[in-house]
Amino acid sequence: MPNYLIQRLLILGGLSIIGILFMQSYWLLKTWDIKDKEFDQSVNIVLRNVAQRMARYNGSILPKTGLIQRRSSNYYAVNINSAIDPAILEQYLIQEFSNQAMNIDFEYAVYDCFSDDLVYGNYCSAENNTLNQLKDSKKKLPKFDDLVYYFVVRFPSRESFLLANMKMTITFTSLSILAIIFFVYSMWVILTQKRLSELQKDFINNMTHEFKTPLSSVKIAADVLANDEEIKKNKRLHRYTQIIREQNQRLNDQVEKVLNIARLEKDSIELKKDIIELNQTLNEIVTNEALKLPDDHIHFQTWHQPVFVMADKLHFVNVITNMIDNAIKYSPNNPEVKIILEEKDAIFVHIKDNGIGIDKESQKKLFDKFYRVSTGDVHNVKGFGLGLYYVKNICAAHGWNIQVQSEPGKGTTFSIVIPKQLKI
Ligand code: ADP
């Protein structure tokens, strides 16, 4: 994946995460707020009903204002302006909370004006709705000097009650957080993989570069040896010198291939396009390639008219050479390679062989980097799986198409398709 794409992905991903976190926190706080308002409303209804019942029981009149006062988030004072019987109060409270279907623990206390203190009432658990008889007289709830006849109710488990009412919101928040963690983890994996692959690429690039100098030295030395009169006379030495030259050339070709791929991936491909005439260029390539096979096994079928296209000649020669090399490599018995140039609705360069062929499944992955058809024992040809990857990239950079037709056991035809509009 190119650097700029990863950068964009990181920026967009980061912004989305910030956005999601912001929305999620806002939604969470808003829901908490709404649930708290609902809680307050229900508590108000319960306490008002209790106060009214107490007033009816006492035959007193409730104050017009300030009947129920929320003194803190979970602490309410009810100013009923008449004497309060704790036993009756407790009964009413339990009944009214149950009528409102509010399953929440609460504790209450009643103000005693003789002792000028709040007398702790009871802790009522929502679980069984019976009184928790462990009356803790030492338990102190804050009192209020501005009120005379009043009782207070406190909800020790208000937070957990509100949270229990926000199950949906909490589930969605957890899912979003999971998604964010997954995204961050994926990005971390991508970045680590990228760093590793860059290290690997740099290493291969440097290593192959290091090979180039000794290879050139060996080539010069082998050429000198091959042209030496003494060696020419000695058949055995001459043969050895030839082997050195051939193997050196082979190694050089492989190093070039790897370097070409490294260059290809470093930046976007820069093509130095020239006008080339395909009959002539292909003829030159075929003449060179024919030297690799004894007898007349490579044929070039020219087109009856000149065909001019814009192409980077060096890359074009590499592409065709690669495909002819493959055609020879993968045709173990009497290779017959045909290069056909034709111009119909597009310009076609076919490279046809009578080799081992490629099955349908492998044809789909043929142009992937490092892909080699697994052949078991059928043939034992060495390679990196980079040739066709290079071919595909160069064709794509020119705006050409590459197609393959093949039947296992019968042969393969690779076709480069150059759209007519790219013709000169
Ligand atoms: P390499 O030849 O170095 O393995 P390539 O990228 O050139 O890598 O080719 C990828 C694979 O495609 C080869 O391993 C081979 O199995 C298959 N292949 C390529 N050309 C031919 C061909 N003409 N006939 C049969 N198989 C081929």
Side-chain angles (χ1 to χ4, degrees), residues 110-121:
V110 179
Y111 178 68
D112 179 2
C113 52
F114 295 112
S115 59
D116 184 25
D117 211 353
L118 268 175
V119 180
Y120 188 74

Side-chain angles (χ1 to χ4, degrees), residues 254 257 322-331 351 353 355-358 362 365-368 370-375 379 381-391 406 411-414:
Q254 301 287 30
K257 243 186 210 175
N322 246 311
M323 288 198 290
I324 297 178
D325 282 346
N326 275 353
I328 299 170
K329 252 177 21 178
Y330 298 105
S331 307
I351 292 102
D353 66 54
I356 56 170
I358 309 159
S362 305
K365 302 178 222 151
L366 215 52
F367 299 96
D368 292 355
F370 297 126
Y371 182 77
R372 305 200 71 218
V373 178
S374 70
T375 47
H379 74 113
V381 187
K382 300 278 174 279
F384 293 126
L386 289 174
L388 290 181
Y389 174 72
Y390 170 78
V391 167
S406 185
T412 308
T413 305
F414 282 97

Side-chain angles (χ1 to χ4, degrees), residues 17-29:
I17 288 180
I18 294 172
I20 292 173
L21 281 177
F22 180 76
M23 288 291 294
Q24 211 64 50
S25 327
Y26 176 77
W27 188 33
L28 210 62
L29 290 176

